[in-house]
Amino acid sequence: MPLNGRSRVLVEIAAGLAALGLLAAEVGAQAPAASPSPSAPAPTPPPVISPEVHPDRTVTFRLRAPNAKEVVLRIEGPFREAMKRDDDGVWSLTTTPLAADDYGYSFEADGVAMIDPSNPVRIPNLLSNASALHLPDPSLPWNVREVPHGAIHHHFYRSAVVGDDRDFYVYTPPGYDARAATSYPVLYLLHGFSDDASGWTAVGQAHVILDNLIAEGKAKPMLIVNTLGYGAPEIVSRGFGTLGRDPAIRQRNYDRFRDALFTEVIPQVERAYRARTDRESRAIAGLSMGGAETLLVGLNSLDRFAWIGSFSAGGLPEDFDASFPALDAAASAKLRLLWIACGTGDRLIDVNRRLHAWLDKKGVKHTMVETPGAHTWQVWRRNLTTLAPMLF
């Protein structure tokens, strides 16, 4: 979720303004009624408060849509439920208590998906629109705490490999000093299909997770690089499912991503930052499409990466012998970690289990982890929280 400090301030401001609007409406209701004028405009309806979080962690969502015939609420994960309309044309639904976490949600009015117009906080995505809901809990590693914080640096460059202008982000840990002699290992952390390079920062809160883990002594200080995962950007315009429907564009996407990573992103990072350059100090991990890219790049480049983590890998070609032609039991000696995770409620669990069985058959040392959850950021934040302490 894009629930950094600025976003949470926006939520608080919006809630305050909405509360003031309700107060004004109540005060106005107590004043003597004025004689109506035949030409007087219709009264402005009171503001809609949405989402409204209650002390028991139930949440009420509201949407003013007087002309809609049906409105459905979708919350990240399997939640989908019809809302009810009142006499003023406001649709609402109050959930059962929700676990503390960050959620994406949207409305579907007569089949048309839409964000919550009463909530200023959005989730960045190239194909779908969603609003953000934050249910805080200080114990969650992706909640901001009073600990030393690292910094996020945004870089832009022209890609000769792909032929476009693109970007990447670099997280530097607390205490990083470019003038000092200290150097750091690097985790290349990849986003999924339909995300952009900001996904792991704006939604995954990777920088917050690392700040907290480092402060607790659970993870080593490291650089994290989030780069754009599209070697064939046109794949996005073709929509969800393209990775499975079109093997040619999928392969072009993966090949050019790999080449841009190796010849453009990694060299820039290693020139601009105090990054260690040996394979023992490089890790690669990613979610969904980024999980597939992690496996294809990492397992075919063990001279560059010793640590590999895949979360809910999607879009992975299922001819594993063709995808990993040189992978065999001898690779285990080079792998410091091969960690594969997937939610049991994820439609991709089957292909990840098949990969696990294939790796077992090949004698490749790895760890397969199945967790509760579906194809959601709730799963992937926890995956990163578990993986990061294992690295380096």
Side-chain angles (χ1 to χ4, degrees):
M1 311 292 159
L3 295 172
N4 49 34
R6 176 177 179 274
S7 298
R8 287 174 184 150
V9 169
L10 286 174
V11 172
E12 293 171 2
I13 291 172
L17 290 174
L20 287 174
L22 286 177
L23 178 61
E26 291 171 1
V27 171
Q30 298 171 7
S35 299
S37 167
S39 60
T44 301
V48 171
I49 306 245
S50 179
E52 181 181 3
V53 180
H54 305 291
D56 62 354
R57 291 197 185 279
T58 60
V59 182
T60 299
F61 297 86
R62 299 182 180 92
L63 174 70
R64 189 188 305 282
N67 297 320
K69 295 180 176 58
E70 180 187 41
V71 177
V72 172
L73 170 67
R74 293 178 177 271
I75 304 178
E76 185 177 7
F79 187 98
R80 183 183 188 279
E81 190 170 331
M83 303 175 73
K84 293 183 179 180
R85 181 187 186 280
D86 67 14
D87 293 339
D88 295 322
V90 176
W91 298 78
S92 66
L93 184 149
T94 299
T95 68
T96 57
L98 299 177
D101 214 320
D102 292 343
Y103 299 86
Y105 72 95
S106 62
F107 300 124
E108 188 177 289
D110 293 339
V112 178
M114 59 184 297
I115 56 175
D116 186 344
S118 300
N119 182 354
V121 187
R122 310 285 186 255
I123 294 177
N125 193 276
L126 301 176
L127 290 180
S128 61
N129 293 316
S131 300
L133 170 66
H134 176 62
L135 296 180
D137 181 339
S139 69
L140 293 175
W142 45 92
N143 278 216
V144 176
R145 302 174 188 165
E146 292 296 325
V147 299
H149 299 299
I152 299 170
H153 313 264
H154 196 184
H155 297 263
F156 300 86
Y157 75 99
R158 179 72 183 178
S159 172
V161 172
V162 184
D164 64 1
D165 295 302
R166 50 188 44 219
D167 62 343
F168 63 90
Y169 293 78
V170 178
Y171 162 84
T172 51
Y176 176 86
D177 185 348
R179 298 163 298 180
T182 305
S183 59
Y184 297 85
V186 187
L187 166 61
Y188 291 86
L189 185 60
L190 313 180
H191 64 76
F193 187 82
S194 81
D195 293 322
D196 62 21
S198 72
W200 268 109
T201 298
V203 190
Q205 300 292 292
H207 57 302
V208 178
I209 292 172
L210 263 294
D211 284 348
N212 291 333
L213 291 176
I214 292 169
E216 294 174 356
K218 294 180 179 179
K220 293 184 178 179
M222 66 184 77
L223 306 177
I224 299 179
V225 179
N226 309 125
T227 187
L228 194 64
Y230 307 109
E234 64 272 19
I235 199 171
V236 180
S237 64
R238 301 190 184 188
F240 294 108
T242 306
L243 288 170
R245 291 193 306 264
D246 191 334
I249 192 173
R250 177 181 66 193
Q251 193 61 46
R252 183 165 71 250
N253 185 63
Y254 291 159
D255 288 348
R256 289 183 181 174
F257 165 75
R258 177 201 60 216
D259 294 346
L261 178 67
F262 287 170
T263 66
E264 296 174 339
V265 176
I266 291 179
Q268 289 184 72
V269 169
E270 293 181 350
R271 284 195 302 268
Y273 293 90
R274 300 202 63 82
R276 297 177 192 163
T277 59
D278 60 291
R279 63 178 298 275
E280 295 279 334
S281 300
R282 281 203 205 106
I284 186 168
L287 69 92
S288 195
M289 179 188 75
E293 289 172 334
T294 289
L295 294 167
L296 293 167
V297 171
L299 291 176
N300 288 312
S301 305
L302 293 178
D303 58 326
R304 297 174 185 262
F305 298 99
W307 313 81
I308 299 171
S310 170
F311 315 155
S312 310
L316 187 66
E318 292 197 41
D319 185 346
F320 302 135
D321 288 312
S323 296
F324 309 106
L327 197 62
D328 56 25
S332 296
K334 296 182 179 180
L335 281 165
R336 294 295 302 274
L337 180 68
L338 173 55
W339 194 81
I340 299 169
C342 193
T344 54
D346 194 324
R347 58 186 173 78
L348 296 171
I349 188 68
D350 290 339
V351 66
N352 280 271
R353 286 170 174 166
R354 288 194 291 274
L355 175 63
H356 165 58
W358 181 83
L359 290 168
D360 270 347
K361 182 180 178 181
K362 299 288 285 188
V364 178
K365 179 180 67 177
H366 68 287
T367 299
M368 175 72 183
V369 176
E370 297 186 7
T371 65
H375 203 70
T376 67
W377 281 102
Q378 282 86 17
V379 170
W380 303 322
R381 291 189 200 94
R382 287 169 173 81
N383 289 162
L384 178 61
T385 301
T386 302
L387 176 70
M390 301 179 189
L391 300 178
F392 313 121

